[in-house]
Amino acid sequence: MKERFDLCIIGGGVIGLSIAIHTAKKGANVLVVEKDRLGQEASGGRAGLLTTVAEGVDRHDPYSIFSRESLQYLLQWIPELEEKTQISSGLVKQNLLRLALHEQEAALLEDHWLMQTETNSQIKRLSAEEARTLEPLLSNDLRMAICSPDEYHLEPSLYLNALARMARQLGVTIREQTEVIQFIHQNNRMYGVVTNTGTQIVAETTILAAGAWSHLLSRLAKVKVPVYPLKGQLIVLKQGDTDLNVMINTSKGYILSKPNGTVVLGATSEKEKFNKFITAKGIQELLPLFDYVPELKNWEIQHLWAGLRPATPDGQPIIGYVPEWEGWYLATGHSRHGVLLSGWTGHLVAEELEGKDQSHKLGSFGLHRFAMVERR
């Protein structure tokens, strides 16, 4: 059987669905194919941090700019999603405290504060006593803290559900449990894919947004896309009698209190190929987080989770056409910041596919920046 679409998007996570929504709004006939169920990989994480990335990098760095623009876009887009789908994304605005328990941590945190205050006057250095005024559950061993006011996080599963409903409302065709087994291409022109059901999907443009699996799929067309799986493990606690008033970031990871009555501690960063097993080693790596909020040691463990983020050698996404190919576009490698970057990525990709030049926004994230990219 053969089917035809304007766009075939491989990957049903937040990036693929966002692109589907933004292109469907422009009138495109869009198909999303997902090898499992929607959002079961990196998009299914429990944290949903929306703190901007590349902290400590020059504010004029393209990735720093991209992350800040992404946050502003998302904060405007989420109300539209919630209104049209009637699904809350669990968006929360809180102060973020970066904490130091030890002298070495305090020195690094002091440097961080001095660097950030040059561009953000809202960031404040707090004594241990001032920090515990904001969050009484913090450790008595606390040395210092930095407060970033009005940071955000959301519930990724709810956000994913809203994206899926919006996409379907716009007429996007979504095929779950559908795996791409072959690309249809000739003379560096991509024409579509063949799925495990035997269906040929013919598309004007094929978009690879398959997260950590993007490298494996690109090899089907003998092209290297340098994305690798970065495993992250989390501990989810059932919240005790007292809510955490702030988001917490440390050199060991983060601690978030969620509206659904859970607290999320994470996350590891492990190069593990495609192993999603929860391991004692990974959980042990997260245990130092309890030293920052000792009361958490008394709270019940509700769930353990592990997922694979799509990482790249330079830690930045890959967005743009495959060099020297027609009809083949990449939107992958968003690592641990997929939720944050999803809306803006979808918007810019839709603009570029419509023929509007977005090189001033996306030019730094093309596949061409990797020397390892080559035809085999």
Side-chain angles (χ1 to χ4, degrees):
M1 184 172 67
K2 182 180 292 187
E3 297 181 283
R4 295 183 180 275
F5 292 87
D6 297 325
L7 299 178
C8 174
I9 300 173
I10 306 169
V14 295
I15 300 298
L17 289 174
S18 175
I19 295 171
I21 290 167
H22 285 86
T23 52
K25 282 183 174 181
K26 293 178 177 293
N29 182 21
V30 184
L31 169 69
V32 174
V33 293
E34 166 56 46
K35 66 179 180 61
D36 197 337
R37 290 183 293 122
L38 296 179
Q40 292 303 296
E41 301 302 339
S43 297
R46 300 300 182 93
L49 279 162
L50 301 181
T51 52
T52 53
V53 299
E55 293 176 345
V57 176
D58 188 318
R59 284 178 64 83
H60 301 293
D61 176 85
Y63 193 32
S64 181
I65 294 170
F66 190 74
S67 73
R68 295 196 305 274
E69 292 176 338
S70 293
L71 176 59
Q72 293 308 310
Y73 185 85
L74 200 61
L75 293 178
Q76 296 174 21
W77 191 39
I78 284 177
E80 177 188 343
L81 276 176
E82 293 182 338
E83 179 185 357
K84 293 185 176 179
T85 66
Q86 297 300 299
I87 298 176
S88 169
S89 294
L91 183 67
V92 174
K93 180 167 73 171
Q94 284 183 318
N95 290 339
L96 171 66
L97 292 186
R98 294 174 173 84
L99 305 180
L101 287 184
H102 312 294
E103 185 175 342
Q104 184 177 9
E105 279 186 327
L108 292 173
L109 200 56
E110 186 82 26
D111 290 342
H112 174 87
W113 173 65
L114 292 172
M115 182 179 299
Q116 292 298 301
T117 51
E118 294 178 2
T119 54
N120 186 351
S121 61
Q122 290 186 311
I123 293 179
K124 303 296 183 184
R125 184 189 188 282
L126 303 179
S127 67
E129 292 74 19
E130 290 170 326
R132 279 194 290 269
T133 299
L134 292 177
E135 179 47 72
L137 295 182
L138 296 180
S139 169
N140 290 328
D141 295 328
L142 189 65
R143 292 290 189 93
M144 65 169 287
I146 293 175
C147 179
S148 299
D150 300 338
E151 300 274 9
Y152 297 86
H153 61 94
L154 56 70
E155 185 57 49
S157 62
L158 296 177
Y159 176 61
L160 191 285
N161 290 342
L163 293 180
R165 180 173 292 182
M166 174 71 90
R168 290 186 170 106
Q169 287 174 352
L170 291 168
V172 174
T173 302
I174 296 175
R175 303 263 173 81
E176 299 178 274
Q177 306 291 338
T178 302
E179 186 172 359
V180 171
I181 61 172
Q182 181 182 337
F183 285 113
I184 304 169
H185 62 92
Q186 185 176 8
N187 298 327
N188 285 29
R189 175 67 169 92
M190 187 65 69
Y191 293 100
V193 302
V194 178
T195 72
N196 59 340
T197 65
T199 303
Q200 292 186 36
I201 307 296
V202 178
E204 182 67 24
T205 304
T206 300
I207 301 177
L208 183 56
W213 282 260
S214 297
H215 173 68
L216 295 180
L217 285 166
S218 69
R219 288 169 57 185
L220 296 175
K222 297 183 179 180
V223 170
K224 288 184 178 180
V225 176
V227 175
Y228 62 90
L230 189 66
K231 180 177 173 179
Q233 299 189 54
L234 302 173
I235 299 173
V236 181
L237 303 176
K238 183 178 180 180
Q239 192 154 288
D241 297 331
T242 306
D243 293 347
L244 291 176
N245 300 319
V246 297
M247 304 162 62
I248 294 172
N249 184 269
T250 79
S251 64
K252 309 299 181 184
Y254 55 79
I255 304 171
L256 297 178
S257 181
K258 291 292 187 178
N260 63 5
T262 62
V263 174
V264 180
L265 292 82
T268 63
S269 294
E270 309 165 62
K271 294 183 179 180
E272 283 276 0
K273 293 188 177 179
F274 292 92
N275 169 11
K276 293 199 294 181
F277 295 124
I278 295 167
T279 64
K281 179 182 177 182
I283 299 305
Q284 184 178 33
E285 188 177 325
L286 298 175
L287 294 182
L289 284 168
F290 289 94
D291 294 335
Y292 296 86
V293 188
E295 175 63 22
L296 298 183
K297 297 175 183 178
N298 300 317
W299 295 5
E300 177 185 343
I301 294 178
Q302 184 177 88
H303 186 67
L304 302 175
W305 183 88
L308 302 175
R309 314 178 193 96
T312 62
D314 63 3
Q316 300 184 17
I318 302 172
I319 306 172
Y321 286 100
V322 178
E324 301 180 5
W325 282 72
E326 293 182 40
W328 191 8
Y329 198 96
L330 303 174
T332 185
H334 291 72
S335 191
R336 67 191 70 190
H337 304 296
V339 171
L340 169 69
L341 304 177
S342 58
W344 193 228
T345 295
H347 169 75
L348 292 177
V349 169
E351 293 285 291
E352 187 156 82
L353 292 177
E354 197 178 36
K356 298 177 181 177
D357 182 15
Q358 297 298 325
S359 59
H360 59 298
K361 299 285 187 182
L362 296 175
S364 298
F365 308 120
L367 186 63
H368 58 79
R369 71 185 190 269
F370 296 107
M372 66 178 70
V373 175
E374 59 185 35
R375 290 294 307 273
R376 284 184 175 179

